[in-house]
Amino acid sequence: MVVKSTFRRTERLAREKDFRRVLKQGSSVRRFPVRLTFLRVEHPPSKLAIWVKKKDFKKSPDRNRIKRWVREFFRRHKAGFLFPCHLIVHV
């Protein structure tokens, strides 16, 4: 299977139902300043959601830069995931 290194709309975790499921049933890993919550799913593609609080990063360029970094990391490394999963990255 060939995995393109793009970040498509279908790879965004956008539905509230999916968010809740990942937060309730998923596993979480913390390394300051990032918390990663993930839930293994049966069918690809892996999906990503990013939370960056305005309280922590007041200026929108700072928040947007962090989101770009996380999306780029996801885009480059999704082919190396051991299993398809839904991810929530909370900075």
Side-chain angles (χ1 to χ4, degrees):
M1 182 171 117
V2 176
V3 177
K4 293 183 179 180
S5 62
T6 58
F7 186 68
R8 297 181 177 187
R9 190 170 204 69
T10 57
E11 295 173 333
R12 295 181 186 166
L13 188 63
R15 295 187 332 184
E16 186 177 347
K17 182 177 94 172
D18 292 335
F19 268 95
R20 287 186 181 163
R21 198 172 112 216
V22 171
L23 292 173
K24 280 189 175 185
Q25 299 173 5
S27 301
S28 186
V29 177
R30 268 189 176 173
R31 296 287 180 252
F32 183 79
V34 176
R35 181 176 68 209
L36 176 69
T37 305
F38 63 95
L39 178 65
R40 186 175 185 164
V41 293
E42 295 180 18
H43 305 289
S46 294
K47 294 188 177 190
L48 173 70
I50 307 166
W51 285 350
V52 182
K53 289 184 180 181
K54 189 174 182 179
K55 177 182 172 185
D56 298 331
F57 297 93
K58 301 287 186 199
K59 296 181 181 179
S60 61
D62 296 337
R63 292 191 303 273
N64 293 336
R65 184 176 299 116
I66 291 168
K67 291 176 193 178
R68 280 194 303 271
W69 286 341
V70 172
R71 281 194 300 267
E72 182 66 12
F73 182 85
F74 177 80
R75 184 186 72 81
R76 287 186 177 194
H77 293 89
K78 66 184 175 186
F81 289 176
L82 297 176
F83 49 83
C85 59
H86 291 173
L87 302 166
I88 297 176
V89 179
H90 187 196
V91 181

